[in-house]
Amino acid sequence: MHTATTDQTPQLPYLAGLNLTGRRAVVVGAGTVAQRRLPRLLNAGAAVEVIAPEATPAVEALAEAGELVWHRREYRSGDLDGAWYAIAATSDPEVNAAVGAEAEQQRVFCVRSDHAAAGTAVTPAVGEHDGLLVGVLSGGKPRRSIAVRDALVEALRTGTVDVHAEPVAPGVALVGGGPGAADLITVRGRRMLAKADVVVVDRLAPRELLEELGPHVEVIDAAKIPYGRAANQEVINRTLIEKAQAGKFVVRLKGGDPYLFGRGFEELLACAEEGVPVTVVPGITSAFAAPALAEVPVTHRGVAHEVVVVSGHVPPGDPRSLVDWPSLARLRGTLVLLMAVQRIEQFAEVLVQHGRDAATPVAVVQEASTGAQRSLRTTLAKVAEEVRQHEIKPPAVVVIGPVAGLRGA
Ligand code: SAH
């Protein structure tokens, strides 16, 4: 016999964007499944009511903060009165079915988290990028939807998919690139890079990210600007201002965090003076990331209740120094020294001289997060000698304090 249709594609749902602002959305159940659905409902401005005898601490916290209303009881028929949208997310399929049946009768679109095909709505895999929502539905293959969503969002972030439908407003973004590994920049930082017309990059910024930039992007290497340090900064400031004034979106890509010994605020002030708009994107600072990547926590309960980040840019006693080394020597917690490798002997000495125990543990971490990362553990008494012996070179972070003596597994 001849059959009319052989290759049946599954019926795909109708993808819509719901305007839920101020509208009643009822979520039955308050476990981890419900919890995952709540942030997007709340972001959409829905008037969310959760019905469940028990809730996860996160849902409870949302209720306490007044972000949603939690009815601490079992679901009962009539709960969907006046609702625009419902999610049945209890661990009991019978309850979910009852919610689904009421929703059907009331004509409220309802997601069945236990049995997607039985509901009248399905939650797409959603991704967000720069004010854009991407939703993916695959007709019952959630893993596929998630994979596609992830790939799309990644492509948007890296600029593989060009989203410059609207021109980017000229200006400067001071972006902290993190300690060096390409994937330790923030999502926002990456997004800024994808929009850049010009990137002015520092020596310690994650340079791998430059490979992702389109051919139209002008890359200016700040490390290659001749002149001395002060003049160099002046040239960078001028470059940022001139490019922005020429209508470009300029990303100033820095290592770590732009405001931690990164001269970022000088650049902000210079731009502000010329009326150039600046946004700042904080970064993961090497001061905390380098210790973490060498298994040193900068604080630890019962061990260190303070952490002070210090620049070793000028030696102790130098008239330009703003650091009170004798006071630092009296602290019991953690000292993190940056730019301190070359003068480590002087720093160790001044600390011991003013009272820090010479047996205090010390960790030194070089080129953290890169393929060349190296670290050593020693003491204040021996650190200078060990740094020399092991030929530790900048960039490196020096961590002084009992935390440097802790060992992980
Ligand atoms: N703004 C940067 C710090 C700039 S000062 C930040 O927040 O990380 C430069 C110093 O940072 C270096 O001398 C070194 O002490 C430290 N540093 C930067 N990157 C590093 C890395 N990958 N590993 C170890 N230390 C690093």
Side-chain angles (χ1 to χ4, degrees):
M1 272 228 14
H2 181 80
T3 40
T5 48
T6 46
D7 43 323
Q8 292 207 345
T9 43
Q11 182 67 63
L12 284 172
Y14 180 76
L15 189 58
L18 303 183
N19 177 357
L20 289 178
T21 312
R23 303 210 155 101
R24 188 162 188 257
V26 176
V27 178
V28 184
T32 51
V33 178
Q35 184 184 311
R36 266 187 283 150
R37 299 284 170 252
L38 291 171
R40 290 210 181 274
L41 278 179
L42 293 169
N43 277 348
V48 177
E49 296 190 30
V50 172
I51 298 162
E54 323 240 342
T56 66
V59 176
E60 200 170 340
L62 287 171
E64 267 162 28
E67 295 205 44
L68 52 79
V69 176
W70 175 23
H71 303 283
R72 194 185 293 226
R73 56 165 175 77
E74 303 277 355
Y75 159 80
R76 49 187 184 239
S77 177
D79 276 342
L80 300 190
D81 275 357
W84 289 75
Y85 196 70
I87 298 179
T90 76
S91 53
D92 183 343
E94 275 179 39
V95 175
N96 291 344
V99 175
E102 181 184 350
E104 182 79 35
Q105 199 206 344
Q106 303 252 27
R107 303 198 175 190
V108 178
F109 281 108
C110 178
V111 175
R112 285 275 303 271
S113 59
D114 56 329
H115 185 12
T120 49
V122 274
T123 312
V126 177
E128 211 174 329
H129 175 85
D130 205 10
L132 201 79
L133 278 180
V134 175
V136 181
L137 290 175
S138 59
K141 300 190 195 77
R143 273 169 206 276
R144 185 172 178 220
S145 302
I146 287 166
V148 172
R149 185 267 322 266
D150 288 347
L152 278 175
V153 169
E154 181 69 7
L156 288 167
R157 261 177 211 154
T158 57
T160 316
V161 174
D162 194 4
V163 286
H164 289 168
E166 289 169 49
V168 182
V172 172
L174 298 174
V175 176
D183 56 355
L184 282 176
I185 190 173
T186 63
V187 170
R188 191 182 296 181
R190 196 114 187 225
R191 203 174 278 167
M192 294 289 170
L193 268 183
K195 287 194 220 175
D197 300 307
V198 180
V199 177
V200 183
V201 63
D202 261 352
R203 194 168 45 87
L204 291 178
R207 283 162 170 270
E208 245 178 80
L209 290 171
L210 302 179
E211 290 164 22
E212 292 175 3
L213 299 172
H216 63 285
V217 181
E218 182 186 359
V219 176
I220 298 172
D221 193 336
K224 290 202 181 129
I225 294 175
Y227 319 112
R229 231 180 116 82
N232 184 315
Q233 188 60 53
E234 186 51 37
V235 174
I236 293 170
N237 294 353
R238 292 284 0 136
T239 306
L240 299 178
I241 291 162
E242 280 162 20
K243 295 288 178 188
Q245 284 176 341
K248 310 284 186 190
F249 181 62
V250 187
V251 167
R252 174 71 175 111
L253 184 63
K254 290 169 168 293
D257 181 88
Y259 287 172
L260 190 82
F261 307 139
R263 308 192 71 168
F265 206 66
E266 291 174 47
E267 293 168 8
L268 174 123
L269 292 174
C271 288
E273 210 164 282
E274 300 292 331
V276 170
V278 177
T279 55
V280 176
V281 181
I284 298 178
T285 177
S286 66
F288 296 158
L293 293 167
E295 296 190 351
V296 177
V298 289
T299 69
H300 188 60
R301 191 157 62 93
V303 176
H305 287 180
E306 75 215 350
V307 50
V308 182
V309 182
V310 186
S311 165
H313 175 223
V314 290
D318 188 289
R320 290 167 300 167
S321 176
L322 300 174
V323 180
D324 184 348
W325 289 98
S327 294
L328 291 182
R330 285 195 298 276
L331 298 179
R332 277 178 297 211
T334 310
L335 294 179
V336 177
L337 311 189
L338 269 59
M339 299 176 273
V341 171
Q342 272 149 343
R343 298 197 184 87
I344 187 60
E345 189 156 11
Q346 285 170 274
F347 300 129
E349 217 173 81
V350 73
L351 289 171
V352 172
Q353 190 191 336
H354 288 94
R356 191 92 200 221
D357 188 345
T360 305
V362 174
V364 184
V365 191
Q366 177 182 332
E367 286 172 84
S369 85
T370 73
Q373 178 176 325
R374 300 199 292 148
S375 63
L376 64 84
R377 305 273 191 128
T378 177
T379 61
L380 207 44
K382 294 200 202 123
V383 62
E385 186 193 318
E386 298 247 358
V387 160
R388 221 176 305 125
Q389 192 189 328
H390 292 97
E391 299 185 345
I392 297 284
K393 297 275 183 298
V397 159
V398 180
V399 190
I400 303 168
V403 291
L406 298 174
R407 292 280 171 184

